[in-house]
Amino acid sequence: MVLAKTQQVIEHSIGYLGPAGTYTEEMVLSTYLKQKNIKLVPYTSIDAVIRAVEAGEVTEGVVPIENSLEGSVNITLDTLAHEVNLFITKEMVQPIKHHLLIHKTGSIDKINVIVSHPQALAQCRQYINQNFPRAELKVVDSTAAAALLVAEGALDHAAIGGLRAGEIHGLKVVAASIEDQHNNCTRFIVLKSRPELAKAGHCKTSVVCKINGQRPGSLYELLSEFVKYDVNLTKIESRPARTGLGEYIFFLDLDGSIYEAPVRNAIKAVELKSLWFKNLGSYLCHIE
Amino acid sequence: MVLAKTQQVIEHSIGYLGPAGTYTEEMVLSTYLKQKNIKLVPYTSIDAVIRAVEAGEVTEGVVPIENSLEGSVNITLDTLAHEVNLFITKEMVQPIKHHLLIHKTGSIDKINVIVSHPQALAQCRQYINQNFPRAELKVVDSTAAAALLVAEGALDHAAIGGLRAGEIHGLKVVAASIEDQHNNCTRFIVLKSRPELAKAGHCKTSVVCKINGQRPGSLYELLSEFVKYDVNLTKIESRPARTGLGEYIFFLDLDGSIYEAPVRNAIKAVELKSLWFKNLGSYLCHIE
């Protein structure tokens, strides 16, 4: 990674959930390390990253969308559906190891408060209940912000975060890999203001739609279009439509790109059957 | 509600998310007010309520399962699916109004920390971002615990909670109805260790299953059973199977009771098509 000295030669700026030391930063560094003329811009929350791409402050943004234990990152889905018009241009998957980090002069016996991002706290719920049942839980915007808080002298606090967060802030690891299940990984997406139609490689297409939930069988009819065109649905996730209890929107992930006729035809049919529809883009996906 | 004086005459004990002043308590009080020989037992977290029913400490438990803005309560779904064997025996819906509550000697200008249950914080995200962009967010197990913390003298804290939480702890309301959308309501369920098959009234049936997600069209085939038997699917929600990224279990809510042949037949067919299956019960549901 080369930080360009003048605005003129910067070709891309990448917004991500900062500050230094987040899992998102680890992912961004490993992905963009070899590219030149890249500027990394940390933001303090996931929705701030997404809004920065929408406002044109950065050319792309990297945010988490799903974790294998805790499920979808709701703020990412809800902001994409309801508040911006952006496209997913890439997907990346990172294994997640959570560690319990304390001040270098602190002691594990003195932990009264455990601080982290809400998803990290949720992914270590059993560990916390078993080992620190009386600890106060404090939420901050990122695992790195949690590490910073401890580094600044919160001696009765422990942060949950990655090794990099601990190293940057000079913390010591008092318990390693404390996530409740060890197949813990997170899916990240790259967002841009225009779609980038991936023409080669293994692609995925994401759409979000609202159907008439009052009419029996309408979800089944929607899914029939994928069967008809032999398109594989890899994920379906419902989120509140925000119009009332029992009304939902559906996020659908499909194997393949809109460059392929079956995907294009299936999506066109789904759009026609939807009360509301948004294409979030076709993009290169992570392969196991 | 009559609190019985001796253990012998107590017919039912109800576990709920306490302490006094939570939205769950408001719901429990209004539901069980007229019943005699009932003992109310507050717990400090949602999973503690559910485990107390499983352990037989209480005869039933009341927990939130879904909010119209923030979606499913993941800890409720995940605990029901993975960690206990309980049944839903009733559903209840309550409108939710969130208020910003501060110490009676405090001032709105001095708020540095906003404390509440994670779902309440999420439901007021826009209000907080607009009005207190620099406030630290602190998570506690309930809105009532947040109110208690403020009442105990946290003068730079504001709690987000209901009117009852504010009244019990002598707090003042400095901003009313701060939820981001005003059609905010929460669905609660009653859990017991044995199913109670509702024979009359408007019923719903809930099941959870895992299908072979690697095989294209398997979700469609599952849903085809509901169409075949003319059973209406009112909700579908995916959650991580906890076996790896991209592997899901599905929570399905159906109109009708297992006492009705079409529902019974559809469920039997779904069970046969599932890799893993759990019937969470048929129960009287809330009618709009």
Side-chain angles (χ1 to χ4, degrees), chain A residues 129-166:
Chain A
N129 284 347
Q130 280 161 20
N131 294 279
F132 300 95
R134 285 186 201 83
E136 178 192 320
L137 302 186
K138 192 187 280 188
V139 161
V140 289
D141 281 325
S142 68
T143 49
L148 177 63
L149 194 70
V150 172
E152 284 175 345
L155 292 183
D156 70 337
H157 284 44
I160 294 177
L163 277 186
R164 186 171 156 77

Side-chain angles (χ1 to χ4, degrees), chain A:
Chain A
M1 181 192 59
V2 175
L3 287 178
K5 284 178 190 158
T6 64
Q7 189 65 34
Q8 285 69 32
V9 298
I10 293 173
E11 285 166 8
H12 297 297
S13 50
I14 320 289
Y16 70 99
L17 179 64
T22 59
Y23 294 104
T24 318
E25 194 203 48
E26 285 186 21
M27 171 56 89
V28 166
L29 287 177
S30 65
T31 307
Y32 295 94
L33 199 62
K34 292 174 185 162
Q35 293 185 32
K36 292 184 179 177
N37 302 331
I38 289 271
K39 185 182 171 194
L40 298 184
V41 187
Y43 287 86
T44 57
S45 67
I46 290 172
D47 61 322
V49 175
I50 300 176
R51 286 171 207 281
V53 183
E54 174 85 348
E57 287 172 31
V58 288
T59 49
E60 55 196 274
V62 181
V63 291
I65 189 165
E66 186 184 8
N67 173 268
S68 58
L69 299 184
E70 218 13 58
S72 287
V73 181
N74 293 340
I75 182 72
T76 300
L77 294 185
D78 293 348
T79 308
L80 283 179
H82 298 291
E83 291 167 38
V84 298
N85 284 303
L86 296 176
F87 297 89
I88 303 172
T89 60
K90 195 178 176 188
E91 161 190 274
M92 300 172 293
V93 171
Q94 187 188 35
I96 301 287
K97 295 268 173 221
H98 291 304
H99 308 297
L100 196 67
L101 308 166
I102 66 169
H103 196 274
K104 59 191 172 200
T105 67
S107 156
I108 194 168
D109 307 327
K110 302 222 169 75
I111 296 172
N112 292 319
V113 181
I114 298 178
V115 57
S116 198
H117 185 274
Q119 281 253 340
L121 291 171
Q123 289 160 25
C124 303
R125 192 183 288 127
Q126 288 173 19
Y127 172 84
I128 295 171
N129 284 347
Q130 280 161 20
N131 294 279
F132 300 95
R134 285 186 201 83
E136 178 192 320
L137 302 186
K138 192 187 280 188
V139 161
V140 289
D141 281 325
S142 68
T143 49
L148 177 63
L149 194 70
V150 172
E152 284 175 345
L155 292 183
D156 70 337
H157 284 44
I160 294 177
L163 277 186
R164 186 171 156 77
E167 283 164 13
I168 288 174
H169 297 291
L171 304 182
K172 61 180 176 189
V173 177
V174 287
S177 290
I178 61 169
E179 60 277 6
D180 292 334
Q181 312 241 343
H182 294 302
N183 51 5
N184 189 7
C185 47
T186 296
R187 194 157 68 91
F188 291 85
I189 51 171
V190 177
L191 292 169
K192 293 191 180 180
S193 58
R194 299 175 72 106
E196 270 182 14
L197 298 181
K199 289 180 187 174
H202 189 178
C203 284
K204 203 188 257 188
T205 299
S206 293
V207 300
V208 49
C209 61
K210 189 181 176 188
I211 52 175
N212 185 349
Q214 304 305 313
R215 206 165 59 77
S218 47
L219 178 62
Y220 175 77
E221 281 177 28
L222 198 79
L223 300 188
S224 75
E225 297 298 340
F226 300 123
V227 174
K228 183 172 159 191
Y229 291 103
D230 199 21
V231 169
N232 189 24
L233 183 71
T234 60
K235 190 183 180 201
I236 178 168
E237 169 88 36
S238 63
R239 287 290 304 152
R242 296 188 173 177
T243 46
L245 194 66
E247 295 178 27
Y248 305 100
I249 55 175
F250 290 95
F251 287 81
L252 308 171
D253 282 359
L254 321 169
D255 254 343
S257 149
I258 204 161
Y259 264 92
E260 300 157 25
V263 174
R264 195 165 55 244
N265 291 333
I267 282 182
K268 201 174 284 174
V270 164
E271 183 170 5
L272 286 173
K273 284 189 173 171
S274 300
L275 299 176
W276 172 86
F277 177 90
K278 217 172 191 179
N279 186 344
L280 298 174
S282 295
Y283 50 92
L284 278 179
C285 68
H286 171 85
I287 299 165
E288 293 289 324

Side-chain angles (χ1 to χ4, degrees), chain B residues 128-142:
Chain B
I128 295 170
N129 284 348
Q130 280 162 21
N131 294 279
F132 300 95
R134 286 186 200 84
E136 177 192 320
L137 301 186
K138 190 186 282 185
V139 161
V140 288
D141 281 325
S142 69

